[in-house]
Amino acid sequence: MRILIVEDDDILRRQLIQGLQAAGYAVDSAANGVDAHHVGDSSPYDAVVLDLGLQQIDGLTVLRKWRSAGRDMPVLILTARDGWHEKVAGIDAGADDYLGKPFHMEELLARLRALIRRAGGHASAELACGSLTLDTRNGRATVDGQALSLTSHEYRVLAYLMHHRDKVISRSDLVEHIYAQDFDRDANTVEVFIARLRKKLPPGLIETVRGLGYRLTAPVDAPANGEIHQHRLCGSGGNDARHDRA
Ligand code: CA
């Protein structure tokens, strides 16, 4: 999961970057409205934290520009503590949530988790696919109740696939959502992360959809020859097996 932080206060921006990185996110940042508009317009983010009082272009204008250009990522605005008028204007401009300054990092993190879940169509903080669960509150992944030991990049790949379970995710999508802008990216490393995850997960959970990417779904059963041809949607409750493997 990749987050954009827009904040012109240097100290607060650094605190936000550190807090979000510590929570497992890939983080980009912008310190003024012009940079914010450009970065948010050109890269896909799972959520944005947007201060409203910015140099060059104010945050509300940046948000309106994004929305009118069809950028639909979740946006949480940072407002003055008692600025109810800012909150109203921000929500009307397309913000999904707000937080008044000063705020607690834990509250910001909880609100971001909720925004990211909702954007993926999930209401619960604990995501499940077959025997695999991911508790988004603490980053804990389990299979049949047993905790998995994951590196930070393996976690980001798994978290992105879990938030978009049952959907085909391309390798380039994964690259965009697990690395920050200035990271030395290599699409081949995604294959390495997928291979490592597969060793830690039940067989068949991460499907390769040839030519398109990967899909996290629950295999219906694991036949003796190890080839799995049926998957069921993680979110389906388990009865509608599919046969559409590419
Ligand atoms: Ca400001």
Side-chain angles (χ1 to χ4, degrees), residues 147-220:
L148 296 180
S149 171
L150 302 172
T151 67
S152 60
H153 281 102
E154 288 167 7
Y155 174 77
R156 284 183 198 167
V157 170
L158 184 63
Y160 192 78
L161 291 175
M162 279 294 262
H163 278 83
H164 299 86
R165 61 195 190 188
D166 300 322
K167 295 181 189 126
V168 178
I169 304 297
S170 71
R171 230 172 9 147
S172 60
D173 278 341
L174 280 174
V175 169
E176 289 287 355
H177 289 273
I178 64 172
Y179 293 125
Q181 188 103 45
D182 52 4
F183 199 86
D184 185 17
R185 294 153 175 235
D186 179 356
N188 293 322
T189 58
V190 167
E191 286 180 13
V192 174
F193 297 141
I194 292 281
R196 288 191 201 149
L197 280 171
R198 279 179 167 149
K199 285 185 185 155
K200 299 178 180 183
L201 296 173
L205 209 61
I206 300 178
E207 267 182 286
T208 297
V209 183
R210 198 172 302 160
L212 295 175
Y214 304 102
R215 177 165 53 195
L216 190 87
T217 54
V220 168

Side-chain angles (χ1 to χ4, degrees), residues 7-9 51-54 101:
E7 170 59 65
D8 61 345
D9 182 299
D51 181 35
L52 292 186
L54 297 172
K101 293 179 181 178

Side-chain angles (χ1 to χ4, degrees), residues 7 12 16 49 78 99-108:
E7 170 59 65
L12 180 55
L16 287 166
V49 178
L78 299 178
L99 203 49
K101 293 179 181 178
F103 54 84
H104 288 281
M105 185 63 73
E106 284 305 316
E107 182 176 1
L108 177 72

